[in-house]
């Protein structure tokens, strides 16, 4: 079976962390369709910058299971293009979301998010169901 890979927006692991019943999270639901999960370095930053000491074990274990994709030159070029298009339409999004979307596009991966409203503004971004 070919590997089905998805890039997770920060909202997916945070939802998984917050819900008591993990079986009702988007993260668990995505496991029915995908067998490999990635996050961008931007998502890793967002998560690690919000961790407190009581949460550290949970996040270390979860992050240890996810591949972290770097924000590199191809993603930078994609981010510039996306931002220019959104600026022209007057529909810009937050920089972290822009960088996460650019990472997905640069790596030709679908993006799983609970924040579809912002990400749907981006042409050529595949959003996972």
């Amino acid at each position: 079976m070919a590997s089905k890979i998805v890039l997770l927006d920060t909202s997916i692991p945070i939802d998984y962390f917050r819900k008591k019943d993990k079986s009702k999270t988007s993260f668990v639901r995505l496991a029915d369709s995908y067998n490999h999960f990635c996050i961008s370095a931007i998502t890793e930053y967002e998560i690690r910058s919000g961790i407190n000491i009581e949460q550290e074990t949970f996040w270390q274990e979860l992050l240890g299971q996810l591949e972290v994709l770097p924000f590199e030159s191809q993603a930078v070029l994609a981010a510039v293009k996306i931002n220019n298009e959104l600026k022209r339409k007057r529909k810009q999004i937050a920089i972290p979301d822009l960088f996460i979307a650019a990472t997905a596009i640069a790596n030709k991966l679908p993006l799983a998010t609970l924040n579809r409203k912002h990400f749907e503004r981006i042409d050529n971004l595949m959003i996972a169901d």
Side-chain angles (χ1 to χ4, degrees):
M1 176 177 153
S3 183
K4 287 194 71 178
I5 305 169
V6 65
L7 182 76
L8 304 176
D9 173 39
T10 311
S11 61
I12 300 293
I14 287 177
D15 177 64
Y16 183 76
F17 170 74
R18 288 181 177 161
K19 287 191 176 159
K20 286 188 187 261
D21 186 352
K22 305 295 187 208
S23 69
K24 295 188 177 178
T25 63
S26 293
F27 186 74
V28 170
R29 184 179 47 76
L30 287 163
D32 291 337
S33 301
Y34 298 94
N35 57 12
H36 190 82
F37 299 99
C38 301
I39 60 172
S40 72
I42 309 307
T43 292
E44 181 182 20
Y45 167 79
E46 288 183 315
I47 289 170
R48 289 189 186 279
S49 66
I51 294 174
N52 66 39
I53 196 93
E54 295 87 32
Q55 303 167 346
E56 195 165 347
T57 300
F58 173 87
W59 286 112
Q60 292 292 44
E61 289 176 7
L62 183 62
L63 292 172
Q65 297 174 36
L66 302 172
E67 179 182 358
V68 179
L69 300 179
F71 186 70
E72 43 69 50
S73 187
Q74 286 298 97
V76 169
L77 295 174
V80 169
K81 182 177 179 185
I82 294 165
N83 193 52
N84 287 340
E85 290 172 5
L86 294 177
K87 191 185 301 184
R88 188 174 38 77
K89 296 176 187 177
R90 295 185 180 174
K91 293 191 174 202
Q92 287 178 278
I93 60 175
I95 295 295
D97 289 346
L98 173 68
F99 288 175
I100 291 166
T103 302
I105 290 171
N107 288 279
K108 298 176 176 63
L109 295 174
L111 177 70
T113 184
L114 298 176
N115 185 10
R116 294 180 73 93
K117 182 180 176 187
H118 288 156
F119 289 106
E120 286 177 339
R121 299 177 190 178
I122 301 170
D123 296 335
N124 301 319
L125 177 64
M126 298 176 288
I127 299 180
D129 289 325

